[in-house]
Amino acid sequence: MSTSTFSSHLKSQKADFLADNGEGWTIVMGNEAGDLDSLASALGYAWLRSHTSGKAIAYITTPREDFILRAENLYALGLAGIIQPFEELYCSGDPMPSQVSQFALVDHNVLDTRYNTPTARVVAVIDHHEDEGKYKDTADPRIVEPVGSCSSLVAKLFQSSNLPIPPELSTLLLSAILIDTKGLKAGGKAVDVDREAAAYLIPLSHLARSEGLSALSDNQPITQRSSVQSLSVTLGEKKSNVSHLSTRDLLRRDYKEYTFTIPASDHVTRSSKMMRKGKGRREQLWIIKATDEGIAEKLWQGLESNEELRLKRRGFANFGFVDNAEIAEETEDEDEDDDEDSEEATTDEAAFGESYIARAYKQRNANATRKQTAPILRKILEGT
Ligand SMILES: [Mn+2]
């Protein structure tokens, strides 16, 4: 299939879907952060499902104005011949037809409350986050495995289906795997499933077309070939080049919202957490409504005693706060030592004003991502 027919297939599929008002269709969606893994998994599984078990379309959850925040997504879509994503793909901002009731979840395993109407049914789950145990009676397949990239699980499904995979999709899935596993680096997030998926996809991707790569062409592992590694480097550069983005853009780029039910009181609280990643450094900032003091206490205690995250309290002066409202001139705080700021830290919980209680932490285990923190948070708040 040529690039132009792949993208025109998507375009006409979108038109059919809207003409049907969604009736009889399954919407395949990734998580709301909208990273390349979510995007590729949704497009990949929608293709597979629409060729095996009925009408399915990928829904791209990223809002139109946020699309530019992920240059690596635009780049990988470009490799797949999708140059104008908003025309070719069914995206956030397009109408959600009233007849839609079937959802397939990829790269997350709980249907967002926005779509969770009384008639909504989750008919498939393919994910690599912690399993929240839902939809066991309705989802088929229901695959939740801790692999490096959800795209690897989608690739594995293609492999066992014997359905020919378009090179555009191979390229997209491969790109997501490379991004998520930093080029399948040894000692990183890649597990065997990721390596096997990449080895399956590479000869079926654009890389093969440009270089005549085949799985058996020499003794070097296919994932170590220079064209694969250079794609990985390019994607990584696109992803980490964020110099054109503002602080607000950076936060929007990785925003995720979680809903937890707190036992004892009947609150439902929404906590959003932001983490910025530097070279091997990770910090956490928590902001809580002052009216939720019980939650704050529970949270501080749970977080600070957590042995996986190994959090170290940090004072807001480290981040340029001089008092409640003002932000200081840029201060250098590279390589701060672990003990200097514990005293002042206790005094500035009101850094975000009286309505909020805030604490900042340095994460001494910089390897733990949101994937580890989210279940810890749930345990602390829900006690399960
Ligand atoms: Mn993922």
Side-chain angles (χ1 to χ4, degrees), residues 270-272 274 285-289 299-300 352 356-359:
R270 288 168 171 230
S271 310
S272 66
M274 308 162 250
L285 170 65
W286 296 87
I287 305 168
I288 298 179
K289 280 188 189 156
L299 189 62
W300 306 148
F352 289 84
Y356 299 97
I357 314 167
R359 285 195 185 184

Side-chain angles (χ1 to χ4, degrees), residues 31 35 37-38 107 127-129 148-150 180 371:
N31 69 48
D35 62 3
D37 191 29
S38 272
D107 205 21
D127 186 28
H128 65 143
H129 293 82
S149 180
C150 183
D180 283 356
K371 265 195 202 75

Side-chain angles (χ1 to χ4, degrees), residues 253-289:
R253 190 177 193 263
D254 258 334
Y255 180 81
K256 271 191 196 172
E257 190 170 300
Y258 301 85
T259 302
F260 299 107
T261 308
I262 315 275
S265 67
D266 280 322
H267 288 120
V268 172
T269 189
R270 288 168 171 230
S271 310
S272 66
K273 181 176 57 61
M274 308 162 250
M275 296 194 289
R276 279 182 242 166
K277 201 169 163 185
K279 273 190 190 133
R281 285 174 44 169
R282 216 178 263 275
E283 290 158 342
Q284 298 192 357
L285 170 65
W286 296 87
I287 305 168
I288 298 179
K289 280 188 189 156

Side-chain angles (χ1 to χ4, degrees), residues 44-331:
Y45 184 63
W47 176 278
L48 182 75
R49 194 171 171 98
S50 63
H51 287 79
T52 52
S53 41
K55 297 175 188 171
I57 190 166
Y59 176 59
I60 312 303
T61 50
T62 313
R64 186 179 281 247
E65 63 274 20
D66 290 2
F67 234 81
I68 50 148
L69 301 180
R70 292 185 181 272
E72 71 280 16
N73 287 15
L74 293 172
Y75 180 80
L77 285 172
L79 293 179
I82 299 166
I83 308 299
Q84 295 169 297
F86 290 101
E87 285 189 19
E88 288 143 291
L89 306 177
Y90 174 48
C91 294
S92 156
D94 285 324
M96 174 66 74
S98 56
Q99 296 301 317
V100 167
S101 61
Q102 301 217 110
F103 295 91
L105 309 182
V106 293
D107 205 21
H108 68 312
N109 62 67
V110 179
L111 182 63
D112 190 295
T113 48
R114 243 173 304 182
Y115 313 107
N116 200 2
T117 60
T119 55
R121 216 158 61 95
V122 173
V123 296
V125 175
I126 301 158
D127 186 28
H128 65 143
H129 293 82
E130 179 170 283
D131 192 350
E132 302 205 21
K134 300 197 170 193
Y135 322 118
K136 289 189 170 158
D137 50 343
T138 56
D140 179 28
R142 189 183 184 287
I143 301 165
V144 184
E145 269 184 53
V147 297
S149 180
C150 183
S151 293
S152 302
L153 299 174
V154 174
K156 207 171 138 185
L157 280 179
F158 264 103
Q159 202 171 6
S160 55
S161 75
N162 287 320
L163 188 76
I165 180 167
E168 293 82 2
L169 268 186
S170 298
T171 307
L172 265 180
L173 291 167
L174 175 65
S175 299
I177 296 170
L178 293 176
I179 278 265
D180 283 356
T181 64
K182 298 205 163 60
L184 298 159
K185 202 174 65 182
K189 292 194 173 139
V191 298
D192 284 346
V193 172
D194 300 296
R195 281 181 279 270
E196 285 156 21
Y200 157 73
L201 293 168
I202 291 163
L204 304 169
S205 72
H206 287 322
L207 294 179
R209 197 157 58 181
S210 53
E211 286 195 23
L213 273 176
S214 96
L216 302 168
S217 64
D218 67 37
N219 291 328
Q220 194 187 25
I222 195 163
T223 54
Q224 300 303 312
R225 305 281 169 76
S226 62
S227 59
V228 177
Q229 291 305 311
S230 83
L231 172 59
S232 175
V233 168
T234 304
L235 289 163
E237 281 168 1
K238 301 261 175 208
K239 185 180 176 182
S240 58
N241 181 5
V242 292
S243 54
H244 59 296
L245 301 178
S246 66
T247 302
R248 182 170 175 273
D249 286 342
L250 287 169
L251 294 173
R252 269 190 315 144
R253 190 177 193 263
D254 258 334
Y255 180 81
K256 271 191 196 172
E257 190 170 300
Y258 301 85
T259 302
F260 299 107
T261 308
I262 315 275
S265 67
D266 280 322
H267 288 120
V268 172
T269 189
R270 288 168 171 230
S271 310
S272 66
K273 181 176 57 61
M274 308 162 250
M275 296 194 289
R276 279 182 242 166
K277 201 169 163 185
K279 273 190 190 133
R281 285 174 44 169
R282 216 178 263 275
E283 290 158 342
Q284 298 192 357
L285 170 65
W286 296 87
I287 305 168
I288 298 179
K289 280 188 189 156
T291 47
D292 294 336
E293 221 176 309
I295 292 173
E297 277 319 307
K298 209 165 162 178
L299 189 62
W300 306 148
Q301 204 186 3
L303 286 171
E304 289 168 20
S305 63
N306 187 273
E307 288 173 7
E308 186 175 5
L309 299 172
R310 297 194 288 121
L311 299 180
K312 162 79 186 168
R313 187 86 180 273
R314 299 207 61 206
F316 284 101
N318 289 292
F319 304 97
F321 277 86
V322 286
D323 66 22
N324 290 358
E326 279 175 59
I327 292 177
E329 292 283 297
E330 194 88 352
T331 53

Side-chain angles (χ1 to χ4, degrees), residues 375 378-384:
R378 192 177 66 231
K379 271 180 204 122
I380 294 170
L381 292 179
E382 298 190 336
T384 52

